Amino acid sequence: MADVEKLIFHLGDALRSNNRTKSADVVKQILRAKPPLGNRWKSMAAIAKKNGEVDDAISAMQNYCAWAGNSPAVQYELSALYAQLGRLEKADALLNSLPYETPNAADYHYSMGTLALNLGRTDEARGHLRTACKRAPTSGQSWLALAMSGKLEEADRADLFDTKRNFEQAPDLEKSAYAYACGKAHEETGAYDDAFSAFSQGAKIMQTVRPYNHAADQNDAAQSVTGWDALLHGRTDRDDQTQNIASHIFVSGLPRSGTTLVEQILNSHSAVGGGEELGLMQLVVQDIGKSASDLSRFTAEGGKYQDLQAIYQHLLTQRLPNPGRAVDKSLDVSRYLGLIATIFPKTPILWLRRDPLDCAWSSFRTWFLNGLDWSWSLEDIARHFAIEDALIEYWTDRLGSQLLVIDYAELVSSPEAQIGKLTAHCGLKLEPAQLKPHETSRAVKTASVMQVRQPINTTSIGSAAPYERHLEMFSQAYAAAKRDLPVFG
C-alpha cells in the first residue's frame, strides 16, 4: 500500500505541474496495481478522461462500480461516462439494462431520450423526452431537447408554454434552456418576433453565466498564427519526420456552417471509420505547448514530429478504436492549423464557409452547453466571426492545396459536384452513399443531429431572412469588427 500512496503522490505532482503524459502514465500504473482505492477510483476515472485516456477512464470507473457493489445508481454513472466519451452504443445498452427509472424518473428518461436522439431513434427519443418534461417540469434542458427533436406537436407546445410560471425560480441554466425551447416553438408557428424575444432572453441569461472575453479570443487567434511561416516553409523537406499516408481528415469552420454535414458525408464513405468533435489537439499541446516557439524548443531538445504523430494517433484510437480514415471536426481546429500543417503536411484540411447572416442567426438561436461563449450576443458573434475571417484569409494564403474551402450554399445546391470535389481532396473516390448521407446510420452528438438525418436540401439558405430587422445590430457590428481588426501575420 505504501507503493500505491507513493504513486498517488507522484500523480498529484504531475497534476500540479499540468504534465498530461506523466499523470496518464501514473494512472496506468495505479490501474495495474489494482489497490483498494474505494471511491477514489472515481477520481482516477475523471483524471484519465481529462487526459484523453478513454480505456483507462472506463477501467477506473468500472473499479469504482465494483467497489460500490455495482448498484444501479453507480451503473448509471458508468453509462453517463460512456456517453461523455463517445461510446454511445455502450451507454445506451447499459442504460437499457438498468431498472426502470434509475436513478430517478426524470434523469432516466432524459438520458434515454438524448441517447436515442443521438443514435437516430427519433420517435423513441421524443417519447422519453416528453416523460422527462412531465416528471421534471422545470428541466429546461429536457424541454429544449424535445423542441430540438423535431417539430413540436400542438399538445407539446401547449404544455411548454403552460409551464412558464414554474421557471421563475429555476436555476439560470434551466431557465435559459427553457427560453430557447420557447424560441424554437414560436419559430415553428411563424411568430418570429416572439421567437427572437425568447432566444434573446435565454442568451442574456447565459451572458452572465458564461461571459465572452473578446480580447482573449483575439489574442489567442493572433498567437495561433505567430511564428509558423518558417516551419511551414521547410515542411516539404521533412518527409522523414512526417507521415506518408494521411490517416485522418481535419474539418474546420464556424459552428452551424455545415461542418457536421461534411463529417456525415465523409463518414458515409467505406474507407472512413468514424469522426466527431474530438478536440485531440488540445491534448497534444499539453505535452509540448501550443506555439511555434514551443514546437521549435521541443525539436531542439530532441523531440521528433513522429512523437507528436504517435501521441495524436494514440488519442485518436482511444476515441475511435477502429477508425480507418477518421474525421476530426473539432471547433478549435482553426487555432491549431500551424501545428497541424507542420506535423501533418499531407493531411487534408477542409474549411466550411456559410453566409455570415445565416450562420450568425443559426449560432444565436442554438443553445451551446459547452464553450462558444461568444454565441450569446449578436455583437460578440460579429466580433468572433471577424476573427475567424482573418484566420481563414491567413491560412488560405499559406496552406495552398492542403486546404480546401467549401461554400455551404454551393454544397447543398450542387451536392454531387461539391461532394466529389471534397472527396477527391481527401484522396478518396466518390461513392454513391455519400450523396445520400442521411441514410448512413451513426451516432451524431452535435446540435445538427436532426439536420443530418434529412436528405441534403437548401432550406437553411436564407434562414435569417425572417429576422433581418432584428439582425441589423449584427450586420453593423460585423462590418465594424472587420474594419477594425488588426491584420494577422
Side-chain angles (χ1 to χ4, degrees), residues 136-165:
T138 57
S139 172
Q141 294 185 63
S142 294
W143 284 111
L144 181 58
L146 178 61
M148 298 307 296
S149 69
K151 188 172 182 179
L152 291 173
E153 295 182 4
E154 188 174 341
D156 294 328
R157 194 176 296 110
D159 288 342
L160 172 67
F161 293 143
D162 283 346
T163 197
K164 181 177 181 179
R165 62 184 180 277

PDB file of all heavy atoms in Angstrom, residues 136-165:
ATOM      1  N   ALA A 136     -40.239  16.297 -14.604  1.00  0.00           N
ATOM      2  CA  ALA A 136     -39.450  17.429 -14.081  1.00  0.00           C
ATOM      3  C   ALA A 136     -39.795  18.659 -14.915  1.00  0.00           C
ATOM      4  O   ALA A 136     -39.035  19.044 -15.811  1.00  0.00           O
ATOM      5  CB  ALA A 136     -37.961  17.129 -14.131  1.00  0.00           C
ATOM      6  N   PRO A 137     -40.925  19.300 -14.637  1.00  0.00           N
ATOM      7  CA  PRO A 137     -41.385  20.427 -15.465  1.00  0.00           C
ATOM      8  C   PRO A 137     -40.406  21.594 -15.530  1.00  0.00           C
ATOM      9  O   PRO A 137     -40.463  22.386 -16.463  1.00  0.00           O
ATOM     10  CB  PRO A 137     -42.694  20.847 -14.781  1.00  0.00           C
ATOM     11  CG  PRO A 137     -43.133  19.653 -14.006  1.00  0.00           C
ATOM     12  CD  PRO A 137     -41.880  18.976 -13.568  1.00  0.00           C
ATOM     13  N   THR A 138     -39.504  21.716 -14.544  1.00  0.00           N
ATOM     14  CA  THR A 138     -38.543  22.825 -14.565  1.00  0.00           C
ATOM     15  C   THR A 138     -37.175  22.398 -15.107  1.00  0.00           C
ATOM     16  O   THR A 138     -36.178  23.080 -14.877  1.00  0.00           O
ATOM     17  CB  THR A 138     -38.367  23.431 -13.162  1.00  0.00           C
ATOM     18  OG1 THR A 138     -37.960  22.406 -12.251  1.00  0.00           O
ATOM     19  CG2 THR A 138     -39.653  24.076 -12.686  1.00  0.00           C
ATOM     20  N   SER A 139     -37.158  21.300 -15.838  1.00  0.00           N
ATOM     21  CA  SER A 139     -35.926  20.905 -16.523  1.00  0.00           C
ATOM     22  C   SER A 139     -35.928  21.551 -17.905  1.00  0.00           C
ATOM     23  O   SER A 139     -36.458  21.003 -18.875  1.00  0.00           O
ATOM     24  CB  SER A 139     -35.825  19.375 -16.650  1.00  0.00           C
ATOM     25  OG  SER A 139     -34.730  19.016 -17.480  1.00  0.00           O
ATOM     26  N   GLY A 140     -35.350  22.727 -17.981  1.00  0.00           N
ATOM     27  CA  GLY A 140     -35.300  23.419 -19.260  1.00  0.00           C
ATOM     28  C   GLY A 140     -34.568  22.628 -20.323  1.00  0.00           C
ATOM     29  O   GLY A 140     -34.920  22.686 -21.511  1.00  0.00           O
ATOM     30  N   GLN A 141     -33.559  21.871 -19.928  1.00  0.00           N
ATOM     31  CA  GLN A 141     -32.802  21.100 -20.896  1.00  0.00           C
ATOM     32  C   GLN A 141     -33.631  19.963 -21.480  1.00  0.00           C
ATOM     33  O   GLN A 141     -33.452  19.589 -22.639  1.00  0.00           O
ATOM     34  CB  GLN A 141     -31.520  20.577 -20.253  1.00  0.00           C
ATOM     35  CG  GLN A 141     -30.561  21.695 -19.881  1.00  0.00           C
ATOM     36  CD  GLN A 141     -29.239  21.202 -19.344  1.00  0.00           C
ATOM     37  OE1 GLN A 141     -28.486  20.535 -20.045  1.00  0.00           O
ATOM     38  NE2 GLN A 141     -28.939  21.531 -18.092  1.00  0.00           N
ATOM     39  N   SER A 142     -34.574  19.428 -20.694  1.00  0.00           N
ATOM     40  CA  SER A 142     -35.476  18.400 -21.232  1.00  0.00           C
ATOM     41  C   SER A 142     -36.418  19.014 -22.260  1.00  0.00           C
ATOM     42  O   SER A 142     -36.662  18.452 -23.335  1.00  0.00           O
ATOM     43  CB  SER A 142     -36.272  17.749 -20.102  1.00  0.00           C
ATOM     44  OG  SER A 142     -35.430  17.017 -19.241  1.00  0.00           O
ATOM     45  N   TRP A 143     -36.975  20.186 -21.932  1.00  0.00           N
ATOM     46  CA  TRP A 143     -37.860  20.864 -22.880  1.00  0.00           C
ATOM     47  C   TRP A 143     -37.110  21.230 -24.159  1.00  0.00           C
ATOM     48  O   TRP A 143     -37.650  21.098 -25.266  1.00  0.00           O
ATOM     49  CB  TRP A 143     -38.442  22.125 -22.246  1.00  0.00           C
ATOM     50  CG  TRP A 143     -39.537  21.876 -21.255  1.00  0.00           C
ATOM     51  CD1 TRP A 143     -39.484  22.057 -19.907  1.00  0.00           C
ATOM     52  CD2 TRP A 143     -40.864  21.405 -21.542  1.00  0.00           C
ATOM     53  NE1 TRP A 143     -40.689  21.726 -19.328  1.00  0.00           N
ATOM     54  CE2 TRP A 143     -41.548  21.327 -20.308  1.00  0.00           C
ATOM     55  CE3 TRP A 143     -41.525  21.046 -22.717  1.00  0.00           C
ATOM     56  CZ2 TRP A 143     -42.873  20.894 -20.211  1.00  0.00           C
ATOM     57  CZ3 TRP A 143     -42.848  20.616 -22.631  1.00  0.00           C
ATOM     58  CH2 TRP A 143     -43.508  20.542 -21.390  1.00  0.00           C
ATOM     59  N   LEU A 144     -35.880  21.683 -24.015  1.00  0.00           N
ATOM     60  CA  LEU A 144     -35.107  22.072 -25.191  1.00  0.00           C
ATOM     61  C   LEU A 144     -34.786  20.855 -26.056  1.00  0.00           C
ATOM     62  O   LEU A 144     -34.881  20.917 -27.290  1.00  0.00           O
ATOM     63  CB  LEU A 144     -33.818  22.773 -24.764  1.00  0.00           C
ATOM     64  CG  LEU A 144     -32.921  23.248 -25.904  1.00  0.00           C
ATOM     65  CD1 LEU A 144     -33.653  24.209 -26.841  1.00  0.00           C
ATOM     66  CD2 LEU A 144     -31.659  23.904 -25.356  1.00  0.00           C
ATOM     67  N   ALA A 145     -34.408  19.745 -25.431  1.00  0.00           N
ATOM     68  CA  ALA A 145     -34.113  18.532 -26.198  1.00  0.00           C
ATOM     69  C   ALA A 145     -35.350  18.078 -26.966  1.00  0.00           C
ATOM     70  O   ALA A 145     -35.261  17.667 -28.126  1.00  0.00           O
ATOM     71  CB  ALA A 145     -33.626  17.426 -25.261  1.00  0.00           C
ATOM     72  N   LEU A 146     -36.521  18.161 -26.321  1.00  0.00           N
ATOM     73  CA  LEU A 146     -37.761  17.800 -27.007  1.00  0.00           C
ATOM     74  C   LEU A 146     -38.011  18.747 -28.184  1.00  0.00           C
ATOM     75  O   LEU A 146     -38.372  18.314 -29.285  1.00  0.00           O
ATOM     76  CB  LEU A 146     -38.939  17.843 -26.035  1.00  0.00           C
ATOM     77  CG  LEU A 146     -40.323  17.541 -26.631  1.00  0.00           C
ATOM     78  CD1 LEU A 146     -40.364  16.136 -27.225  1.00  0.00           C
ATOM     79  CD2 LEU A 146     -41.412  17.708 -25.567  1.00  0.00           C
ATOM     80  N   ALA A 147     -37.811  20.042 -27.965  1.00  0.00           N
ATOM     81  CA  ALA A 147     -38.039  21.026 -29.027  1.00  0.00           C
ATOM     82  C   ALA A 147     -37.090  20.812 -30.200  1.00  0.00           C
ATOM     83  O   ALA A 147     -37.467  21.005 -31.364  1.00  0.00           O
ATOM     84  CB  ALA A 147     -37.872  22.435 -28.472  1.00  0.00           C
ATOM     85  N   MET A 148     -35.861  20.389 -29.922  1.00  0.00           N
ATOM     86  CA  MET A 148     -34.870  20.211 -30.976  1.00  0.00           C
ATOM     87  C   MET A 148     -34.995  18.855 -31.673  1.00  0.00           C
ATOM     88  O   MET A 148     -34.317  18.603 -32.662  1.00  0.00           O
ATOM     89  CB  MET A 148     -33.458  20.364 -30.407  1.00  0.00           C
ATOM     90  CG  MET A 148     -33.162  21.748 -29.817  1.00  0.00           C
ATOM     91  SD  MET A 148     -33.512  23.104 -30.957  1.00  0.00           S
ATOM     92  CE  MET A 148     -32.320  22.779 -32.253  1.00  0.00           C
ATOM     93  N   SER A 149     -35.862  17.982 -31.168  1.00  0.00           N
ATOM     94  CA  SER A 149     -36.004  16.643 -31.747  1.00  0.00           C
ATOM     95  C   SER A 149     -36.889  16.633 -32.985  1.00  0.00           C
ATOM     96  O   SER A 149     -37.067  15.597 -33.615  1.00  0.00           O
ATOM     97  CB  SER A 149     -36.563  15.675 -30.701  1.00  0.00           C
ATOM     98  OG  SER A 149     -37.920  15.992 -30.392  1.00  0.00           O
ATOM     99  N   GLY A 150     -37.460  17.765 -33.336  1.00  0.00           N
ATOM    100  CA  GLY A 150     -38.352  17.853 -34.484  1.00  0.00           C
ATOM    101  C   GLY A 150     -39.498  18.808 -34.162  1.00  0.00           C
ATOM    102  O   GLY A 150     -39.593  19.336 -33.058  1.00  0.00           O
ATOM    103  N   LYS A 151     -40.349  19.025 -35.126  1.00  0.00           N
ATOM    104  CA  LYS A 151     -41.451  19.963 -34.923  1.00  0.00           C
ATOM    105  C   LYS A 151     -42.350  19.494 -33.784  1.00  0.00           C
ATOM    106  O   LYS A 151     -42.765  18.343 -33.737  1.00  0.00           O
ATOM    107  CB  LYS A 151     -42.273  20.110 -36.200  1.00  0.00           C
ATOM    108  CG  LYS A 151     -43.310  21.221 -36.115  1.00  0.00           C
ATOM    109  CD  LYS A 151     -43.983  21.466 -37.455  1.00  0.00           C
ATOM    110  CE  LYS A 151     -44.982  22.613 -37.351  1.00  0.00           C
ATOM    111  NZ  LYS A 151     -45.632  22.903 -38.645  1.00  0.00           N
ATOM    112  N   LEU A 152     -42.634  20.409 -32.868  1.00  0.00           N
ATOM    113  CA  LEU A 152     -43.457  20.063 -31.714  1.00  0.00           C
ATOM    114  C   LEU A 152     -44.905  19.842 -32.120  1.00  0.00           C
ATOM    115  O   LEU A 152     -45.442  20.558 -32.979  1.00  0.00           O
ATOM    116  CB  LEU A 152     -43.395  21.179 -30.669  1.00  0.00           C
ATOM    117  CG  LEU A 152     -42.076  21.377 -29.927  1.00  0.00           C
ATOM    118  CD1 LEU A 152     -42.145  22.632 -29.071  1.00  0.00           C
ATOM    119  CD2 LEU A 152     -41.756  20.162 -29.066  1.00  0.00           C
ATOM    120  N   GLU A 153     -45.525  18.864 -31.502  1.00  0.00           N
ATOM    121  CA  GLU A 153     -46.960  18.692 -31.692  1.00  0.00           C
ATOM    122  C   GLU A 153     -47.689  19.782 -30.911  1.00  0.00           C
ATOM    123  O   GLU A 153     -47.148  20.372 -29.969  1.00  0.00           O
ATOM    124  CB  GLU A 153     -47.383  17.300 -31.217  1.00  0.00           C
ATOM    125  CG  GLU A 153     -46.773  16.181 -32.057  1.00  0.00           C
ATOM    126  CD  GLU A 153     -47.237  14.805 -31.619  1.00  0.00           C
ATOM    127  OE1 GLU A 153     -48.099  14.738 -30.711  1.00  0.00           O
ATOM    128  OE2 GLU A 153     -46.746  13.803 -32.175  1.00  0.00           O
ATOM    129  N   GLU A 154     -48.932  20.051 -31.294  1.00  0.00           N
ATOM    130  CA  GLU A 154     -49.686  21.129 -30.666  1.00  0.00           C
ATOM    131  C   GLU A 154     -49.787  20.946 -29.160  1.00  0.00           C
ATOM    132  O   GLU A 154     -49.666  21.908 -28.387  1.00  0.00           O
ATOM    133  CB  GLU A 154     -51.083  21.216 -31.287  1.00  0.00           C
ATOM    134  CG  GLU A 154     -51.878  22.437 -30.839  1.00  0.00           C
ATOM    135  CD  GLU A 154     -53.190  22.581 -31.577  1.00  0.00           C
ATOM    136  OE1 GLU A 154     -53.341  21.973 -32.650  1.00  0.00           O
ATOM    137  OE2 GLU A 154     -54.060  23.317 -31.076  1.00  0.00           O
ATOM    138  N   ALA A 155     -49.992  19.702 -28.719  1.00  0.00           N
ATOM    139  CA  ALA A 155     -50.105  19.439 -27.274  1.00  0.00           C
ATOM    140  C   ALA A 155     -48.780  19.708 -26.565  1.00  0.00           C
ATOM    141  O   ALA A 155     -48.765  20.249 -25.452  1.00  0.00           O
ATOM    142  CB  ALA A 155     -50.548  17.992 -27.043  1.00  0.00           C
ATOM    143  N   ASP A 156     -47.668  19.351 -27.216  1.00  0.00           N
ATOM    144  CA  ASP A 156     -46.355  19.620 -26.627  1.00  0.00           C
ATOM    145  C   ASP A 156     -46.132  21.117 -26.487  1.00  0.00           C
ATOM    146  O   ASP A 156     -45.618  21.597 -25.460  1.00  0.00           O
ATOM    147  CB  ASP A 156     -45.243  19.026 -27.500  1.00  0.00           C
ATOM    148  CG  ASP A 156     -45.274  17.512 -27.546  1.00  0.00           C
ATOM    149  OD1 ASP A 156     -45.678  16.902 -26.544  1.00  0.00           O
ATOM    150  OD2 ASP A 156     -44.891  16.956 -28.588  1.00  0.00           O
ATOM    151  N   ARG A 157     -46.523  21.856 -27.512  1.00  0.00           N
ATOM    152  CA  ARG A 157     -46.332  23.304 -27.495  1.00  0.00           C
ATOM    153  C   ARG A 157     -47.160  23.937 -26.376  1.00  0.00           C
ATOM    154  O   ARG A 157     -46.693  24.830 -25.659  1.00  0.00           O
ATOM    155  CB  ARG A 157     -46.710  23.892 -28.849  1.00  0.00           C
ATOM    156  CG  ARG A 157     -46.242  25.336 -29.057  1.00  0.00           C
ATOM    157  CD  ARG A 157     -46.571  25.836 -30.451  1.00  0.00           C
ATOM    158  NE  ARG A 157     -45.848  25.068 -31.466  1.00  0.00           N
ATOM    159  CZ  ARG A 157     -46.424  24.215 -32.317  1.00  0.00           C
ATOM    160  NH1 ARG A 157     -47.733  24.031 -32.278  1.00  0.00           N
ATOM    161  NH2 ARG A 157     -45.704  23.566 -33.188  1.00  0.00           N
ATOM    162  N   ALA A 158     -48.379  23.463 -26.230  1.00  0.00           N
ATOM    163  CA  ALA A 158     -49.245  23.997 -25.171  1.00  0.00           C
ATOM    164  C   ALA A 158     -48.664  23.696 -23.798  1.00  0.00           C
ATOM    165  O   ALA A 158     -48.644  24.565 -22.909  1.00  0.00           O
ATOM    166  CB  ALA A 158     -50.643  23.402 -25.299  1.00  0.00           C
ATOM    167  N   ASP A 159     -48.167  22.469 -23.609  1.00  0.00           N
ATOM    168  CA  ASP A 159     -47.567  22.107 -22.317  1.00  0.00           C
ATOM    169  C   ASP A 159     -46.320  22.952 -22.046  1.00  0.00           C
ATOM    170  O   ASP A 159     -46.078  23.368 -20.905  1.00  0.00           O
ATOM    171  CB  ASP A 159     -47.184  20.625 -22.314  1.00  0.00           C
ATOM    172  CG  ASP A 159     -48.402  19.702 -22.254  1.00  0.00           C
ATOM    173  OD1 ASP A 159     -49.492  20.180 -21.873  1.00  0.00           O
ATOM    174  OD2 ASP A 159     -48.251  18.512 -22.593  1.00  0.00           O
ATOM    175  N   LEU A 160     -45.535  23.202 -23.084  1.00  0.00           N
ATOM    176  CA  LEU A 160     -44.330  24.018 -22.944  1.00  0.00           C
ATOM    177  C   LEU A 160     -44.673  25.413 -22.436  1.00  0.00           C
ATOM    178  O   LEU A 160     -44.085  25.895 -21.459  1.00  0.00           O
ATOM    179  CB  LEU A 160     -43.612  24.101 -24.293  1.00  0.00           C
ATOM    180  CG  LEU A 160     -42.426  25.074 -24.384  1.00  0.00           C
ATOM    181  CD1 LEU A 160     -41.272  24.582 -23.511  1.00  0.00           C
ATOM    182  CD2 LEU A 160     -41.973  25.225 -25.833  1.00  0.00           C
ATOM    183  N   PHE A 161     -45.617  26.053 -23.069  1.00  0.00           N
ATOM    184  CA  PHE A 161     -45.964  27.423 -22.671  1.00  0.00           C
ATOM    185  C   PHE A 161     -46.672  27.464 -21.323  1.00  0.00           C
ATOM    186  O   PHE A 161     -46.509  28.418 -20.558  1.00  0.00           O
ATOM    187  CB  PHE A 161     -46.822  28.085 -23.747  1.00  0.00           C
ATOM    188  CG  PHE A 161     -46.093  28.325 -25.043  1.00  0.00           C
ATOM    189  CD1 PHE A 161     -46.737  28.183 -26.260  1.00  0.00           C
ATOM    190  CD2 PHE A 161     -44.751  28.690 -25.053  1.00  0.00           C
ATOM    191  CE1 PHE A 161     -46.069  28.409 -27.461  1.00  0.00           C
ATOM    192  CE2 PHE A 161     -44.070  28.920 -26.237  1.00  0.00           C
ATOM    193  CZ  PHE A 161     -44.730  28.777 -27.454  1.00  0.00           C
ATOM    194  N   ASP A 162     -47.431  26.415 -21.031  1.00  0.00           N
ATOM    195  CA  ASP A 162     -48.170  26.387 -19.756  1.00  0.00           C
ATOM    196  C   ASP A 162     -47.248  26.308 -18.550  1.00  0.00           C
ATOM    197  O   ASP A 162     -47.623  26.712 -17.446  1.00  0.00           O
ATOM    198  CB  ASP A 162     -49.144  25.202 -19.728  1.00  0.00           C
ATOM    199  CG  ASP A 162     -50.384  25.457 -20.562  1.00  0.00           C
ATOM    200  OD1 ASP A 162     -50.604  26.623 -20.937  1.00  0.00           O
ATOM    201  OD2 ASP A 162     -51.122  24.491 -20.853  1.00  0.00           O
ATOM    202  N   THR A 163     -46.056  25.778 -18.746  1.00  0.00           N
ATOM    203  CA  THR A 163     -45.154  25.577 -17.606  1.00  0.00           C
ATOM    204  C   THR A 163     -44.258  26.785 -17.341  1.00  0.00           C
ATOM    205  O   THR A 163     -43.415  26.733 -16.450  1.00  0.00           O
ATOM    206  CB  THR A 163     -44.277  24.315 -17.837  1.00  0.00           C
ATOM    207  OG1 THR A 163     -43.710  23.890 -16.595  1.00  0.00           O
ATOM    208  CG2 THR A 163     -43.160  24.604 -18.828  1.00  0.00           C
ATOM    209  N   LYS A 164     -44.465  27.873 -18.068  1.00  0.00           N
ATOM    210  CA  LYS A 164     -43.598  29.045 -17.950  1.00  0.00           C
ATOM    211  C   LYS A 164     -43.497  29.545 -16.512  1.00  0.00           C
ATOM    212  O   LYS A 164     -42.410  29.897 -16.037  1.00  0.00           O
ATOM    213  CB  LYS A 164     -44.106  30.165 -18.857  1.00  0.00           C
ATOM    214  CG  LYS A 164     -43.238  31.416 -18.819  1.00  0.00           C
ATOM    215  CD  LYS A 164     -43.729  32.467 -19.792  1.00  0.00           C
ATOM    216  CE  LYS A 164     -42.822  33.695 -19.757  1.00  0.00           C
ATOM    217  NZ  LYS A 164     -43.257  34.736 -20.724  1.00  0.00           N
ATOM    218  N   ARG A 165     -44.612  29.579 -15.803  1.00  0.00           N
ATOM    219  CA  ARG A 165     -44.597  30.117 -14.433  1.00  0.00           C
ATOM    220  C   ARG A 165     -43.705  29.304 -13.510  1.00  0.00           C
ATOM    221  O   ARG A 165     -43.216  29.817 -12.498  1.00  0.00           O
ATOM    222  CB  ARG A 165     -46.021  30.151 -13.876  1.00  0.00           C
ATOM    223  CG  ARG A 165     -46.677  28.777 -13.760  1.00  0.00           C
ATOM    224  CD  ARG A 165     -48.124  28.869 -13.307  1.00  0.00           C
ATOM    225  NE  ARG A 165     -48.744  27.566 -13.201  1.00  0.00           N
ATOM    226  CZ  ARG A 165     -49.266  26.915 -14.238  1.00  0.00           C
ATOM    227  NH1 ARG A 165     -49.239  27.464 -15.449  1.00  0.00           N
ATOM    228  NH2 ARG A 165     -49.826  25.722 -14.069  1.00  0.00           N
TER     229      ARG A 165
END
